[in-house]
Amino acid sequence: VQLQASGGGLVQAGGSLRLSCAFSGGAFRWFTMAWFRQAPGKEREFVAASRGSGGGYSTHYTDSVKGRFTISRDNTKNTVFLQMNSLEAEDTAVYYCAADQRIILSSIRQAAHYDYWGQGTQVTVSS
């Protein structure tokens, strides 16, 4: 499996960005897809996840992005998106997409349980 993240950039506070993660090398619809982020000097943290077909494509978010970020997936294009609105300076980080086929619901917020990772894309929000 290979993941290719894109869409990062520099945006002013209150603005929007949409990240994309292209997936290849597996049966996309069965994979849980997630976004994590890592700010300088901080640990990688969970942002959002979209479970695969077995999980009903349910979506999950960390509290700090609920109502502002939306994760979605296009199974025809093997791509997962992260629409980020009302961006704040605290959202500045490198954003990584991750994938795993067998991850269980109780583990989806834990980076260590994902087998596949993209290269990361920088998001910088200026205040």
Side-chain angles (χ1 to χ4, degrees), residues 1-103:
V1 170
Q2 291 186 325
L3 304 174
Q4 181 71 40
S6 61
L10 173 64
V11 64
Q12 289 187 333
S16 299
L17 281 175
R18 188 174 84 153
L19 305 183
S20 300
C21 177
F23 172 104
S24 61
F28 179 70
R29 67 188 183 99
W30 293 111
F31 278 73
T32 291
M33 301 298 298
W35 289 96
F36 286 77
R37 65 187 180 186
Q38 189 166 18
K42 295 187 176 180
E43 292 187 354
R44 193 168 297 191
E45 66 168 347
F46 171 79
V47 177
S50 168
R51 298 186 71 201
S53 177
Y57 300 117
S58 62
T59 57
H60 307 267
Y61 298 91
T62 193
D63 286 347
S64 63
V65 308
K66 285 180 180 178
R68 300 189 298 123
F69 292 10
T70 302
I71 188 170
S72 62
R73 61 194 296 157
D74 185 337
N75 287 340
T76 66
K77 297 181 179 179
N78 288 1
T79 302
V80 64
F81 304 98
L82 185 68
Q83 178 67 43
M84 305 186 294
N85 299 329
S86 302
L87 282 160
E88 304 169 353
E90 292 73 22
D91 296 317
T92 295
V94 177
Y95 283 69
Y96 298 90
C97 61
D100 199 275
Q101 187 172 6
R102 286 178 284 273
I103 195 168

Side-chain angles (χ1 to χ4, degrees), residues 91-118:
D91 296 317
T92 295
V94 177
Y95 283 69
Y96 298 90
C97 61
D100 199 275
Q101 187 172 6
R102 286 178 284 273
I103 195 168
I104 59 176
L105 179 58
S106 60
S107 298
I108 62 170
R109 297 169 186 266
Q110 299 169 41
H113 288 274
Y114 286 83
D115 283 342
Y116 305 103
W117 290 85

